[in-house]
């Protein structure tokens, strides 16, 4: 990202990739319960049966968390965490770690990049990251969505993270692991552009205006703004992605069919289900991730020298 104040030694692409993946894992560890609550709120209403049950079960993000702890135990909030960490190491490392490299690629080495170049770089790294990390995202969503109620005798879909990979590949084919890849590419192109470009531009403006130096308060401000903008723009695609990836084979013919079904059966507001947990999660995730990313990146550079 852009720098300011006393210039640090420039980190290499490898340092940025490692720092981004590590920071993504740190952010996931902190915010994972909010992400799980978001998924549960997004998928409720998929059928009348589940709607009747879940209306009584989930009421708001914190109500969802409390209900899950009471009915399924505290560990349910971290269901799918292993797949989530797999996802960040292969996903955040590419989409965030290679962002600056892509900017320089499109500007042919120039440090001056317009908003069009930044958007193009964000779209590129977002699409690249999905192609690597889609199976981990599918497994994470499936784990977060499965309800474990001892009194109902319900059976878990998957016993472990690696069992999920194997079961999905066996029952749905290898393409099942890339289920929802196209809506996920669309989502992450939007998320990456909103997240990285907003952070990049706001940080640059703060530093150029001398409002702050290139330190943690600056990173916090830019990250908070990036999280808010991203939530507004990405929520509709995120809900469709979650519904489609969690669906059983044959439930939807495709992502577009999933979106149309939601619109017809539940109305336009369905696309903003789980908005509050999405914002709480994306806002807090961005703050933890970008602040961790900047500090890890600097620490690794200092260790190198």
């Amino acid at each position: 990202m852009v720098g300011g104040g006393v210039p640090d030694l420039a980190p290499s692409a490898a340092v940025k990739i490692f720092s981004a993946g590590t920071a993504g894992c740190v952010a996931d560890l902190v915010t994972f319960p909010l992400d799980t609550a978001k998924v549960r709120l997004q998928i409720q209403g998929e059928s009348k049966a589940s709607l009747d049950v879940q209306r009584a079960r989930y009421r708001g993000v914190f109500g969802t968390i409390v209900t899950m702890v009471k009915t399924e135990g505290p560990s349910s909030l971290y269901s799918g965490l292993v797949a989530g960490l797999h996802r960040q190491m292969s996903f955040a490392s590419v989409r965030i770690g290679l962002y600056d490299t892509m900017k320089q690629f499109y500007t042919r080495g120039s440090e001056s990049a317009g908003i069009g170049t930044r958007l193009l770089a964000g779209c590129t790294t977002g699409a690249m990251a999905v192609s690597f990390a889609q199976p981990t995202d599918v497994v994470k969503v499936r784990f977060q969505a499965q309800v474990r109620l001892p009194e109902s005798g319900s059976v878990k879909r998957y016993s472990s993270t690696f069992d999920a990979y194997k079961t999905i590949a066996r029952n749905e084919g290898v393409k099942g692991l890339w289920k929802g890849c196209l809506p996920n590419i669309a989502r992450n192109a939007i998320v990456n552009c909103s997240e990285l470009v907003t952070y990049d531009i706001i940080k640059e403006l703060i530093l150029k205006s001398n409002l702050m130096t290139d330190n943690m308060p600056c990173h916090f401000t830019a990250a908070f703004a990036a999280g808010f903008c991203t939530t507004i723009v990405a929520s509709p695609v995120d809900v469709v992605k979650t519904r489609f990836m969690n669906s059983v084979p044959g439930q939807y013919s495709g992502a577009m069919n999933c979106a149309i079904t939601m619109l017809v059966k539940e109305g336009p507001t369905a696309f903003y289900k789980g908005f509050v947990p999405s914002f709480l999660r994306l806002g807090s995730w961005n703050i933890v991730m970008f602040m961790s990313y900047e500090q890890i990146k600097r620490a690794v550079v200092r260790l190198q020298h």
Side-chain angles (χ1 to χ4, degrees), residues 92-115:
S93 57
V94 173
R95 78 178 184 91
I96 298 168
L98 289 178
Y99 173 71
D100 286 334
T101 302
M102 277 297 157
K103 273 200 307 183
Q104 291 177 347
F105 173 78
Y106 287 125
T107 58
R108 298 181 181 179
S110 171
E111 290 299 321
S112 177
I115 189 167

Side-chain angles (χ1 to χ4, degrees), residues 10 23 26 38 52 119 122 129 158 161 167 238 240 258 271 299:
V26 172
K38 178 204 75 172
D52 293 337
L119 290 171
Y158 313 109
T161 302
T167 303
D238 191 34
V240 173
C258 178
F271 294 100

Side-chain angles (χ1 to χ4, degrees), residues 187-298:
R187 174 192 179 270
N188 281 291
I190 294 169
V191 166
N192 229 32
C193 288
S194 303
E195 203 170 71
L196 293 176
V197 175
T198 303
Y199 180 83
D200 205 9
I201 291 174
I202 290 177
K203 182 182 171 186
E204 187 174 51
L205 289 172
I206 289 171
L207 296 175
K208 283 184 176 179
S209 303
N210 294 318
L211 297 173
M212 300 176 189
T213 57
D214 191 3
N215 53 20
M216 294 181 78
C218 171
H219 305 156
F220 176 91
T221 304
F224 182 86
F228 183 73
C229 293
T230 303
T231 308
I232 291 174
V233 173
S235 278
V237 183
D238 191 34
V239 175
V240 173
K241 180 212 77 164
T242 299
R243 290 279 187 97
F244 186 60
M245 285 167 59
N246 184 58
S247 65
V248 296
Q251 185 175 355
Y252 305 114
S253 61
M256 188 58 68
N257 173 252
C258 178
I260 292 171
T261 302
M262 284 173 57
L263 181 63
V264 171
K265 291 187 175 180
E266 302 170 57
T269 56
F271 294 100
Y272 280 91
K273 279 193 172 182
F275 179 84
V276 173
S278 287
F279 172 61
L280 289 174
R281 198 262 173 177
L282 265 178
S284 57
W285 193 92
N286 271 271
I287 290 166
V288 175
M289 194 286 299
F290 278 117
M291 292 179 74
S292 299
Y293 175 58
E294 299 280 10
Q295 297 307 310
I296 293 169
K297 191 169 57 174
R298 291 178 179 180

Side-chain angles (χ1 to χ4, degrees), residues 132-149:
F132 288 118
Q134 183 67 10
T136 64
D137 206 10
V138 171
V139 171
K140 179 183 81 75
V141 168
R142 295 280 183 96
F143 260 98
Q144 289 176 314
Q146 70 180 5
V147 180
R148 299 190 299 279
L149 297 176

Side-chain angles (χ1 to χ4, degrees), residues 4-58:
V6 178
D8 291 314
L9 292 167
S12 64
V15 168
K16 290 177 183 177
I17 290 170
F18 169 79
S19 300
T22 305
C25 288
V26 172
D28 252 25
L29 286 168
V30 174
T31 65
F32 207 79
L34 292 171
D35 191 41
T36 302
K38 178 204 75 172
V39 169
R40 292 291 181 92
L41 287 168
Q42 285 179 337
I43 64 170
Q44 72 178 1
E46 284 186 294
S47 66
K48 286 189 176 180
S50 67
L51 180 61
D52 293 337
V53 174
Q54 290 172 348
R55 258 190 191 144
R57 182 175 298 138
Y58 304 136

